[in-house]
Amino acid sequence: MFERFSFHPFIIEALHHLKFHKPTPIQERVIPAVLRGESVIGQSQTGTGKTHAYLLPIIERIDPHVEEVQAVITAPTRELATQIYHEVLKITKFCPNDHRITARCFVGGTDKLRSIEKLKTQPHIVIGTPGRVYDLVREQALFVHTARMLVIDEADVMLDMGFITDVDQVAGRMPEDLQMLVFSATIPEKLKPFLKKYMEHPTHIHIAPKQVAAPAIQHILIPLRHRDRLQLLHDILVSYNPYLAIVFVNTRKTADEVANGLIEKGLKVGVLHGDLTPRERKKMMKAIRDLQFQYIVATDLAARGIDIEGVSHVINYELPADLDFYVHRTGRTGRAGYAGMATTIYEPSDQHALVKLEKKGIHFLHRDFRHGEWIELDAWNGRKKEKKDEVEQLVEKIAKKQKKVKPGYKKKLREQLKKQRAKKK
Ligand code: ADP
Ligand code: MG
């Protein structure tokens, strides 16, 4: 409950309107620290509510009767700064008449003279990009020497974009006892000297990502490429040298063929399919539990409902006709917290099915096994897996953080970033 922070009633009212019922984990810990006046390094994944972790206590601590800048919030892009500004307004619009809090946003690409004009009165809260904020400070239009709170949001991006020097200039003009609040998904080593310079004993709040409920399964695709399927399967199995692998096939006939083929090639193989008598089946299950086999060949129906422990690898000799079975099959590995591996041999005719599986959220790694060696391939659907360059990675990262990405935004951002970098060099 937000009530426990004893915020002003207008903040509680705003939170009701935002439909924020309880603080997120990072808010839970950052809010009290900021209210106490501590410098904070807040680290958590994107989307965990870092913005309000600092906004709420900052707004709480503003003295509306002192007409000075009391907090400066910096973000790496115009869009992010603007977004934060709008979040501030959504709260300050609930300020009662005797408690008016003002905020203003300063970003590049807007009329600077108009900004200067408006700065005849100083806002309580300044939000902006480091470049423009510093610019206005240098112009002696914006007075930050009164501000005791400084936020550096997306600090890792700030560093990557070379904005830390501008932030440094702004911070250097603020009071000695500055309360600095730094937020980032990661805290890169290179950022640490800067943090040390301004923060003596920061409170470091790190919310680790939640463990994923299901243990991770690696999904691997191997193209058949006109090779002998049984030989390829054999080579893969030998290379994996699994604790216990289940090879899934679609029919009883194939199950027998594959099992016999592998046995001929010298592997110890058990087989599970619907043609087994209850007695044979029971015997087979016991042998599997006693770990008499390293490999089991099975059809979907035979494998259904039986719990075999310790399956380290699942191999799809062929994709199942019903794709729900892909999930059932691969779900047999990676249990009880152990990582599992699901490997599928595929052909061009499987493309449609693979697209469907990807839509279900399965991410495939594309590999080949040739001449006794594993080889990483480009993405199976033809997308190059070449590494994106740094600017491209930044563009993706920033775009992901913003809720609304307008058409052409990435292109604009890319150009902006390139220019920025050229300037820094
Ligand atoms: P981060 O900065 O950690 O990436 P944001 O501050 O952008 O995350 O918040 C992500 C989303 O969660 C936003 O849409 C925000 O409005 C929402 N949010 C933040 N705090 C809460 C809360 N306490 N309850 C519900 N939603 C919240
Ligand atoms: Mg954020």
Side-chain angles (χ1 to χ4, degrees):
M1 294 302 265
F2 282 105
E3 278 78 4
R4 75 177 183 86
F5 300 120
S6 41
F7 285 135
H8 283 95
F10 79 89
I11 295 181
I12 298 294
E13 195 187 348
L15 288 169
H16 276 301
H17 281 264
L18 287 170
K19 299 198 164 58
F20 290 6
H21 303 298
K22 62 179 187 16
T24 65
I26 188 99
Q27 291 165 359
E28 192 81 59
R29 294 180 53 202
V30 168
I31 291 171
V34 179
L35 289 174
R36 284 194 299 266
E38 292 163 21
S39 280
V40 171
I41 300 173
Q43 198 182 346
S44 66
Q45 278 176 303
T46 298
T48 49
K50 291 190 283 294
T51 319
H52 289 83
Y54 62 80
L55 283 187
L56 300 174
I58 284 176
I59 293 171
E60 172 69 24
R61 295 188 71 205
I62 297 293
D63 181 349
H65 308 297
V66 178
E67 245 183 56
E68 290 173 349
V69 177
Q70 295 173 42
V72 176
I73 299 169
T74 58
T77 66
R78 298 167 187 180
E79 289 76 8
L80 278 171
T82 311
Q83 203 168 288
I84 296 166
Y85 172 64
H86 286 293
E87 292 304 322
V88 171
L89 295 186
K90 282 182 202 164
I91 300 166
T92 54
K93 73 174 184 194
F94 290 95
C95 285
N97 279 333
D98 59 350
H99 197 107
R100 285 266 159 244
I101 294 175
T102 54
R104 225 161 284 150
C105 187
F106 302 109
V107 297
T110 57
D111 188 345
K112 197 168 96 184
L113 288 177
R114 260 196 68 199
S115 291
I116 293 175
E117 192 72 12
K118 277 207 219 147
L119 278 168
K120 287 208 172 97
T121 58
Q122 300 281 305
H124 295 125
I125 303 173
V126 166
I127 303 119
T129 46
R132 178 54 67 98
V133 169
Y134 178 41
D135 204 2
L136 293 171
V137 169
R138 255 186 326 201
E139 295 271 0
Q140 304 209 329
L142 182 65
F143 304 120
V144 293
H145 63 273
T146 52
R148 292 211 145 72
M149 297 183 274
L150 173 65
V151 174
I152 303 166
D153 203 351
E154 307 290 357
D156 52 346
V157 180
M158 289 280 210
L159 181 79
D160 282 343
M161 289 172 73
F163 289 163
I164 287 295
T165 44
D166 286 339
V167 179
D168 200 358
Q169 291 294 338
V170 174
R173 285 161 171 77
M174 293 173 75
E176 280 274 333
D177 59 346
L178 175 65
Q179 180 183 17
M180 195 151 96
L181 310 171
V182 177
F183 293 89
S184 199
T186 61
I187 305 291
E189 205 52 44
K190 278 197 212 147
L191 192 64
K192 291 188 178 159
F194 173 80
L195 300 180
K196 275 218 183 93
K197 182 171 170 189
Y198 289 102
M199 300 201 271
E200 256 178 49
H201 301 290
T203 309
H204 195 149
I205 296 170
H206 186 177
I207 307 286
K210 270 212 182 71
Q211 280 319 105
V212 264
I217 301 174
Q218 261 193 338
H219 296 266
I220 294 164
L221 282 181
I222 299 180
L224 180 60
R225 295 204 168 130
H226 311 292
R227 287 172 288 188
D228 180 59
R229 202 183 278 264
L230 184 67
Q231 185 64 45
L232 180 60
L233 172 69
H234 168 269
D235 295 349
I236 293 168
L237 288 175
V238 171
S239 156
Y240 282 152
N241 189 20
Y243 178 75
L244 179 62
I246 302 186
V247 178
F248 280 102
V249 298
N250 291 346
T251 65
R252 298 167 189 184
K253 192 165 157 274
T254 316
D256 276 328
E257 283 168 8
V258 170
N260 292 333
L262 292 175
I263 289 166
E264 266 174 39
K265 288 178 192 292
L267 300 185
K268 284 178 106 178
V269 180
V271 63
L272 272 176
H273 60 60
D275 275 351
L276 301 180
T277 64
R279 233 187 80 129
E280 285 173 304
R281 187 184 159 94
K282 224 171 138 190
K283 215 175 123 197
M284 181 56 75
M285 284 308 299
K286 185 174 183 312
I288 291 170
R289 286 207 188 90
D290 293 345
L291 289 174
Q292 289 187 26
F293 306 111
Q294 202 177 356
Y295 311 98
I296 301 160
V297 178
T299 57
D300 289 297
L301 288 181
R304 210 163 199 203
I306 52 170
D307 201 19
I308 302 171
E309 272 187 39
V311 178
S312 55
H313 293 72
V314 164
I315 320 276
N316 291 308
Y317 186 67
E318 50 201 353
L319 273 178
D322 178 350
L323 288 181
D324 285 340
F325 279 101
Y326 179 92
V327 179
H328 296 153
R329 287 177 176 186
T330 57
R332 298 199 156 265
T333 184
R335 291 213 181 154
Y338 293 103
M341 209 186 232
T343 306
T344 302
I345 299 173
Y346 83 100
E347 286 182 277
S349 58
D350 294 320
Q351 178 144 1
H352 191 62
L354 295 175
V355 170
K356 275 197 188 155
L357 287 173
E358 280 200 331
K359 282 200 183 130
K360 283 182 200 261
I362 291 164
H363 175 72
F364 291 109
L365 300 170
H366 196 206
R367 294 188 181 152
D368 201 359
F369 190 72
R370 253 182 264 157
H371 313 300
E373 265 187 66
W374 286 100
I375 299 152
E376 295 289 340
L377 303 175
D378 284 340
W380 68 274
N381 45 15
R383 269 181 243 132
K384 285 263 184 264
K385 87 162 201 312
E386 68 189 356
K387 238 182 124 209
K388 288 178 182 149
D389 72 8
E390 269 182 281
V391 169
E392 203 56 36
Q393 283 179 26
L394 264 178
V395 169
E396 293 288 331
K397 194 170 165 202
I398 296 165
K400 225 191 275 166
K401 281 185 174 144
Q402 286 169 195
K403 276 161 247 161
K404 286 182 226 143
V405 177
K406 292 185 215 107
Y409 171 73
K410 283 194 183 178
K411 190 165 164 243
K412 229 180 73 197
L413 185 60
R414 197 174 292 127
E415 276 156 15
Q416 197 183 320
L417 280 174
K418 280 194 180 138
K419 254 203 261 163
Q420 196 66 40
R421 300 202 139 195
K423 232 167 69 187
K424 295 279 161 201
K425 279 190 187 138

